[in-house]
Amino acid sequence: MRRNVWWMLLIGAVPTAMFVVMSALIWFNVYAFTVSPLSALKIAIGVVPSAVVLGSGLWVLVFKGDSPLHGVPVREEEQPELWALVRRLAEAAGTAPPDDIRLTADANAAVVEDTRLLGLIALRRHMFVGAPLVAEMAAPHLAAVIAHELAHYGNRDTRFAGTAYRSRSAFAHTLTAMNRDDYLQRGLHFLLRHYGRLVLHASANLSRRQERAADEAAARTVGSAPTVAAFGDLTSIAASWELFRRRHLVTGWQAGYLPADAFAGFRRLRDSLEGEPVEADEPDPYDTHPPMGERIASVRALDAPGTVRVPAGAALGLLRDPRPLLDAALLDGLGPEALAKRRADWPALVRIGALASATEHTGLVLANAARATGRPVALRTLLDALDADMLVEVGTDPAGPQRPTDGPRVRRERARILVHAGLTGAVLAALTDAGALHWSESWPSRGAVRLDERYDDSLPDLLDAAVSDRPDTTRLRALLDSADQPRERPRGRWHYR
C-alpha cells in the first residue's frame, strides 16, 4: 500500500505542477480583466499561448486512447504446456495468471494491465513474450523471465505503469511544444524541466526497486542459477536480435522477399557470434532497470533453490508446432507489408538481397546508354557507350543534384560514380545468371560470393578500367564471354556486409 501511495504521488507530481501553473496564469489574466481590460488583453498575448501549451500536455495524460494489442495470441487450447507453466509460476508468485499471452517480435518480455481511475481499478491482464526468447532460451531460463514479469502483477507494479508512462509523455510533450523565443514560456520551461527532472529521478529509483523485488521473486520461484542464466541470455539475445533485424532479416525486403525460416538464420548468427563480448549499456540515472551486473550479483547472492521445477530442454519444447507461431509473431512485428513478401531460403536470400542492392542504379545507366547509342537496353550497349567516351551522357541522373555552376570535371566525376555503381550491378547480375558467381551464407556478414577459377583478373580492377578517363572494356568483355564456357572449380570468395 505504501508503495502504491508513492506511485500516486510521483505520477501526479508533474501534472499537478502543470495544472497549478496553468490555473494561476488563467486566474491572473481573468483578474487583470477586472482591473484593466486593455492591460488584460496585452497580458493575454503572452498568457494564452502558455496556458494552451500546458493544457495540451495535460490532455495527453487525461485522454486514454486504448492502443491495439500487438503480438500473436497464444491460445491455451492450442498451447497447453506453456499455459500450464505460466499458471504454476503465477501460483508460486501468489498472483493470478494473465488473461492472455501474446508472442511478439521483440527480444524481451512484459506484462501490462488495462486499468481505470489512474490504476485503482484493474480490468484485464496481458503478458507479452518475445519470439526470439522462445526460440533461443532454455525452458528454465524462459521460466525465470516469466516469473519476473508475474512478480510485477503480484506487487501491483503494473497498476500504475500506463499512467506513469502517459505522465512522462505529457511532461515531454509540454516541454517540446513550448516556444523558447517567448520569455514567459522560456521561464516555464526552465522551472518545469528542473522540477520534472527531480520527479523523474525519484520515479526511476522506485522502478528500480520494483525490478529488484521482481528479480528476487523470480529467483525464489525458479532458482538463482536459472535466473542468472536468463539475465545473460536476455543481454545476448537482445544484442544479436538487433543485429539480425537490421542486417539480415530485411536483406531481401526491397526485392519483395523474406527468409523462409528466419529463426534458423538467427540461430546461425548467434553461433557465429559465440564468444564475442556484449557491450554493456552506459549507466543512465533515469533508467527504470538497475545495471545488469548489479542484478546478477544480487540474484546470485540469494542462492535460492527455487520452488517450481521446470523441465530441462529448449523453451521451444513448451510450444506445439512452434515454427508457424514464431513466424506469425515475426510478421506481426514487421507490419502489414510483410504479408505480401515471398519467401526464400537463406542462400537464395543472400543472392537476392545482394543483387537488389547492387543493381539499384543499373536500370537508369542501361537506359541512358541505350538512349545515347540508339541501341537496345543491354550490358553490351553500355560497354559500347563507355568505349565511345559517353560517360557523362550515360551517368546523368535527371533526378540527381544538378547545379548550373557545376563545371565539366564535377559533372564527369558525378557521372563516373553513378556509372560505376550501375555497371557493377549489371556485371554481377550477368555473371550470376551465367553461373559464374556463387552466393552463400557467411555469418555474421550478409553473405559471400565465390568466383570461378578461370577469372584471373580482379573484377574491381576491370570495372575501374571501364569507367576511367581512358575507358578500356576489353578485359571485362573477355570475362563476360568466358562466363559462357564450361565452369571450373571456384577459386575463392569475398564477404559483404
Side-chain angles (χ1 to χ4, degrees):
M1 183 64 183
R2 181 179 179 184
R3 178 183 296 170
N4 293 344
V5 172
W6 268 111
W7 259 125
M8 294 290 288
L9 292 175
L10 289 174
I11 289 171
V14 173
T16 298
M18 291 166 56
F19 179 77
V20 168
V21 172
M22 181 183 70
S23 300
L25 291 175
I26 294 174
W27 178 87
F28 177 70
N29 209 177
V30 171
Y31 175 75
F33 266 106
T34 64
V35 176
S36 173
L38 183 60
S39 298
L41 287 174
K42 296 178 180 179
I43 294 172
I45 295 174
V47 167
V48 171
S50 301
V52 169
V53 169
L54 292 169
S56 66
L58 290 171
W59 180 255
V60 172
L61 172 63
V62 174
F63 176 74
K64 185 184 186 303
D66 289 327
S67 301
L69 294 172
H70 65 287
V72 177
V74 181
R75 296 180 174 85
E76 187 167 7
E77 62 272 17
E78 297 173 356
Q79 305 295 343
E81 289 82 3
L82 177 62
W83 270 95
L85 174 62
V86 172
R87 291 188 183 282
R88 293 203 310 272
L89 295 172
E91 183 180 1
T95 188
D99 295 293
D100 75 323
I101 301 174
R102 289 175 173 263
L103 206 63
T104 71
D106 302 317
N108 61 15
V111 288
V112 298
E113 282 187 279
D114 296 333
T115 62
R116 294 294 183 269
L117 294 180
L118 296 180
L120 294 177
I121 298 178
L123 302 178
R124 187 172 174 82
R125 292 178 166 187
H126 309 280
M127 171 173 281
F128 303 92
V129 181
L133 305 187
V134 178
E136 290 297 307
M137 278 186 161
H141 303 174
L142 181 64
V145 173
I146 293 174
H148 171 101
E149 299 302 330
L150 289 170
H152 286 304
Y153 282 146
N155 295 330
R156 296 190 176 184
D157 301 338
T158 52
R159 289 290 186 94
F160 306 100
T163 306
Y165 172 78
R166 294 197 304 279
S167 179
R168 289 191 291 268
S169 298
F171 176 62
H173 172 85
T174 302
L175 292 185
T176 303
M178 282 185 171
N179 181 7
R180 304 292 290 276
D181 294 329
D182 181 276
Y183 288 107
L184 177 58
Q185 293 188 45
R186 186 188 303 176
L188 292 175
H189 184 281
F190 176 83
L191 293 174
L192 285 176
R193 178 165 57 89
H194 288 278
Y195 174 68
R197 183 179 297 171
L198 293 174
V199 174
L200 291 178
H201 185 73
S203 175
N205 285 338
L206 180 56
S207 294
R208 285 194 289 270
R209 287 200 294 272
Q210 292 175 341
E211 293 300 327
R212 293 188 187 97
D215 289 346
E216 181 177 339
R220 296 193 184 284
T221 301
V222 180
S224 289
T227 304
V228 168
F231 288 156
D233 287 348
L234 283 171
T235 303
S236 173
I237 292 172
S240 54
W241 183 248
E242 173 61 26
L243 176 65
F244 178 76
R245 289 193 61 151
R246 185 180 69 252
R247 180 185 290 179
H248 301 281
L249 179 60
V250 295
T251 187
W253 183 272
Q254 295 301 326
Y257 284 87
L258 281 172
D261 190 349
F263 288 96
F266 183 47
R267 170 94 299 271
R268 292 196 281 273
L269 172 65
R270 282 179 45 80
D271 286 341
S272 71
L273 296 174
E274 190 173 355
E276 292 192 10
V278 178
E279 295 184 6
D281 294 333
E282 293 292 328
D284 182 355
Y286 302 107
D287 196 341
T288 57
H289 287 67
M292 186 58 75
E294 179 183 315
R295 297 174 66 185
I296 290 175
S298 298
V299 169
R300 184 175 284 129
L302 287 174
D303 196 23
T307 58
V308 176
R309 300 273 73 85
V310 181
L316 281 174
L318 298 170
L319 297 178
R320 298 181 178 181
D321 193 16
R323 181 171 169 176
L325 189 58
L326 295 177
D327 192 64
L330 185 66
L331 292 177
D332 179 80
L334 291 173
E337 288 182 70
L339 297 175
K341 303 295 181 183
R342 289 172 288 179
R343 298 304 186 94
D345 59 28
W346 280 104
L349 198 67
V350 166
R351 171 179 52 81
I352 291 168
L355 290 179
S357 176
T359 57
E360 179 181 359
H361 303 292
T362 297
L364 172 64
V365 170
L366 291 177
N368 285 348
R371 190 179 304 110
T373 61
R375 296 179 54 193
V377 175
L379 175 54
R380 305 289 176 171
T381 301
L382 173 57
L383 297 178
D384 291 342
L386 293 176
D387 282 338
D389 199 21
M390 294 181 177
L391 179 68
V392 175
E393 293 89 332
V394 172
T396 298
D397 183 2
Q402 305 292 334
R403 293 185 292 272
T405 56
D406 289 344
R409 187 64 183 173
V410 172
R411 290 197 296 272
R412 187 173 183 83
E413 289 305 314
R414 184 182 294 127
R416 191 193 315 279
I417 294 172
L418 181 62
V419 172
H420 191 285
L423 177 62
T424 299
V427 170
L428 291 179
L431 293 176
T432 299
D433 289 342
L437 290 181
H438 310 278
W439 304 85
S440 61
E441 302 173 65
S442 182
W443 307 93
S445 65
R446 282 198 177 99
V449 179
R450 294 178 295 170
L451 290 82
D452 284 353
E453 181 72 27
R454 61 180 173 270
Y455 299 139
D456 296 327
D457 290 308
S458 168
L459 182 57
D461 291 342
L462 302 186
L463 295 169
D464 290 342
V467 298
S468 65
D469 289 331
R470 294 183 177 180
D472 179 7
T473 65
T474 305
R475 289 188 298 159
L476 183 55
R477 291 175 188 269
L479 184 152
L480 293 169
D481 290 338
S482 68
D484 295 329
Q485 303 302 317
R487 281 176 275 170
E488 300 177 16
R489 177 175 57 86
R491 80 171 225 211
R493 66 180 181 174
W494 72 80
H495 302 265
Y496 69 97
R497 293 189 175 275

